[in-house]
Amino acid sequence: MQTIPIEHGLILASILFSLGLIGVLTRRNVIFVLMSLEVMLNATGLAFIVASSRWGHAEGQVMFLVILTLAAAEVAIGLGLIIQMYRRHQTVDISVLSEMKG
């Protein structure tokens, strides 16, 4: 069975991370920003998996589980913020967040 070279996996991870970063910096919709953050987290998880498979250790897979846990917490908090923002301002535009002071 042939394996994928580490360079290909890391190039794919860097492309995904770059696309996620561009999405975070250019989008004004909070939902798209959260989706871009998810892409960035998955890209870092892919980099950990590729690197750990290269050296034959399980630490990369453990780190990926930590990243998935972090992503689940980010989604839960982010969706709560989006619901609160939509209730108050009837929009999910990110520029409204500066008006949400307690």
Side-chain angles (χ1 to χ4, degrees), residues 78-91:
L79 288 178
L81 286 173
I82 289 171
I83 290 170
Q84 184 66 22
M85 184 173 65
Y86 188 76
R87 282 184 184 171
R88 285 193 182 179
H89 302 287
Q90 302 300 319
T91 184

Side-chain angles (χ1 to χ4, degrees), residues 11-95:
I11 288 170
L12 177 62
S14 64
I15 289 170
L16 285 174
F17 191 85
S18 300
L19 288 174
L21 184 63
I22 289 169
V24 166
L25 295 176
T26 60
R27 295 292 183 167
R28 298 190 55 86
N29 191 337
V30 178
I31 295 172
F32 285 116
V33 170
L34 287 177
M35 288 172 49
S36 297
L37 284 173
E38 289 292 325
V39 169
M40 290 172 66
L41 286 172
N42 285 329
T44 56
L46 177 64
F48 275 117
I49 293 292
V50 168
S52 71
S53 70
R54 168 71 169 96
W55 291 296
H57 295 289
E59 287 89 2
Q61 295 172 2
V62 172
M63 283 302 298
F64 186 68
L65 290 175
V66 171
I67 289 170
L68 285 179
T69 306
L70 177 71
E74 179 249 336
V75 165
I77 292 171
L79 288 178
L81 286 173
I82 289 171
I83 290 170
Q84 184 66 22
M85 184 173 65
Y86 188 76
R87 282 184 184 171
R88 285 193 182 179
H89 302 287
Q90 302 300 319
T91 184
V92 289
D93 190 13
I94 203 163
S95 62

